[in-house]
Amino acid sequence: MNGNYIYDLEGILTPQRLLKCELAYFYGKTPRHFRRELENVLCVKPGRYYTKSEVAKIMQTFDIISREDVEAAQPRIKAYLADERERNKNRYLKHKIY
């Protein structure tokens, strides 16, 4: 998790490179649900991160993100990333040849 977010003087998150799952949880959505909502807004490139320009366009379309939104999302992001690590580990071990 990044944790080093940049805010303006009012405590609003500024556009910056963010993990896709983090941005989804900042808006209170799961990554899959958020991706589906973005289909009508912009064409997102594959990868783990949204670019600064993509984040700026997303922030213009959806509500602004405050420091409180970011702090409220932290436990959900941590749980999601732990689940993803476990899922990937199990997937790797399932296909590993001994």
Side-chain angles (χ1 to χ4, degrees):
M1 219 166 11
N2 182 338
N4 299 321
Y5 306 109
I6 302 167
Y7 302 92
D8 63 10
L9 296 175
E10 289 85 35
I12 304 301
L13 190 71
T14 60
Q16 55 199 283
R17 184 175 179 254
L18 293 171
L19 270 173
K20 290 181 177 182
C21 68
E22 289 182 355
L23 189 59
Y25 283 116
F26 292 166
Y27 283 111
K29 303 179 186 316
T30 63
R32 178 176 286 162
H33 183 229
F34 190 62
R35 208 173 30 245
R36 287 186 181 145
E37 286 190 19
L38 285 178
E39 288 176 352
N40 299 328
V41 177
L42 83 142
C43 180
V44 179
K45 299 172 189 156
R48 296 186 69 203
Y49 291 88
Y50 289 118
T51 63
K52 186 177 179 179
S53 60
E54 289 172 337
V55 172
K57 185 163 186 168
I58 292 168
M59 290 175 129
Q60 290 172 353
T61 305
F62 295 96
D63 295 334
I64 59 172
I65 303 170
S66 66
R67 187 181 300 267
E68 292 80 26
D69 297 330
V70 172
E71 291 170 358
Q74 296 304 318
R76 293 180 68 199
I77 294 168
K78 188 174 182 178
Y80 172 80
L81 292 175
D83 289 344
E84 283 297 299
R85 279 191 296 276
E86 187 66 27
R87 186 178 68 82
N88 288 333
K89 183 176 81 173
N90 290 338
R91 190 176 70 190
Y92 170 75
L93 293 175
K94 179 179 169 185
H95 290 77
K96 187 173 182 176
I97 300 173
Y98 291 97

